[in-house]
Amino acid sequence: MSFNIIDMGAWKRSKTFEHFTREIPCTYSMTVNIEAAKLLRSAKERGIGFFPAFLHCLARVVNAHEEFRMDFDAEGRVGYYDISHPCWAVFDKEDESFTTLWAEYSPDIAEFYARYDETMRAFKKLGAQQKPAPRNIFNVSCIPWTSFTGFNLNLRDGYSYLPPIFTVGKYSSEGECAQLPLAIQVHHAVCDGWHVSRFVSELQEAADTVRSAKSDGRA
């Protein structure tokens, strides 16, 4: 893991960052619908689950843009990771609790799925995550029982939390369409509405064109 410290004196976003961290601390969320029909078909053809396929799409776009990989280091300096890995919550029906797991991101979906599958198998066998999560992760939660049109998180220390948080809902099918609700929580200091809009557009493209990055050269 490499953490790249930003030179605040040369960073074009430094004034905006200061404004939304010191003058007016601000986080926000946006809820959108992702058309998931093509991704559902692709996951089925590949023989993989829909959730890890969508998880890979999220990770692919997160790792394409620095603003979604930003964080503070131990000394409070802002920077960005070279790579961010997804972590997700697993639900236990028996005691109605959740456990957080993570897997290393790979731009190749087959390689990523193998890591995801290995993580899930180890968890089911041992009942616990084998190694602690690194700092360079982003969180994804799934609420597969309910669809929603709006979702908002309230973090106690949210004004000092820079990584994005994603919440996925239950998709609804109508004809050949499958609308998947997705809530995106970000810090305004590092991410404007324009950045989120670009993220959504590229995420939709990723969901529509899932394939091995070895064949298209894109991470």
Side-chain angles (χ1 to χ4, degrees):
M1 176 186 70
S2 178
F3 185 73
N4 306 280
I5 297 172
I6 290 177
D7 180 355
M8 296 298 289
W11 191 27
K12 64 181 180 180
R13 194 176 175 82
S14 60
K15 291 183 179 180
T16 301
F17 184 86
E18 292 293 326
H19 180 67
F20 286 122
T21 53
R22 297 186 179 183
E23 298 174 12
I24 307 178
C26 178
T27 65
Y28 68 96
S29 62
M30 181 184 296
T31 302
V32 299
N33 280 323
I34 300 297
E35 172 50 51
K38 291 182 180 179
L39 182 60
L40 282 162
R41 289 195 296 268
S42 178
K44 184 177 181 179
E45 291 170 358
R46 288 173 174 272
I48 64 178
F50 172 73
F51 178 70
F54 187 67
L55 197 63
H56 184 266
C57 290
L58 285 170
R60 178 177 172 179
V61 185
V62 163
N63 281 286
H65 300 288
E66 293 175 3
E67 62 266 19
F68 293 99
R69 306 195 308 274
M70 301 194 74
D71 202 355
F72 292 107
D73 69 3
E75 298 179 27
R77 297 172 296 184
V78 66
Y80 61 93
Y81 300 108
D82 283 342
I83 186 171
S84 289
H85 308 295
C87 72
W88 64 95
V90 178
F91 181 63
D92 187 326
K93 293 182 180 180
E94 293 185 4
D95 61 9
E96 300 182 353
S97 65
F98 289 87
T99 300
T100 299
L101 304 176
W102 71 280
E104 290 185 11
Y105 169 69
S106 169
D108 183 81
I109 188 172
E111 185 174 349
F112 173 75
Y113 181 72
R115 295 172 180 175
Y116 172 92
D117 189 53
E118 181 182 2
T119 300
M120 291 297 293
R121 288 177 182 272
F123 171 71
K124 291 177 180 179
K125 181 178 180 180
L126 302 175
Q129 187 171 313
Q130 292 181 296
K131 55 182 178 180
R135 289 183 59 87
N136 57 326
I137 59 170
F138 64 92
N139 287 277
V140 182
S141 294
C142 185
I143 308 176
W145 313 278
T146 307
S147 184
F148 52 76
T149 57
F151 188 93
N152 186 62
L153 291 173
N154 300 288
L155 304 180
R156 186 187 66 177
D157 301 319
Y159 294 143
S160 60
Y161 188 82
L162 300 184
I165 301 175
F166 302 98
T167 305
V168 187
K170 178 183 179 180
Y171 68 82
S172 56
S173 298
E174 183 175 345
E176 296 183 356
C177 297
Q179 295 293 302
L180 180 73
L182 172 69
I184 306 171
Q185 184 101 1
V186 294
H187 200 302
H188 208 339
V190 298
C191 189
D192 298 322
W194 184 89
H195 300 97
V196 176
S197 297
R198 179 176 65 181
F199 184 96
V200 172
S201 177
E202 294 186 5
L203 179 61
Q204 183 64 69
E205 179 185 358
D208 288 342
T209 59
V210 170
R211 55 187 180 274
S212 170
K214 292 179 180 178
S215 66
D216 68 4
R218 178 178 175 183

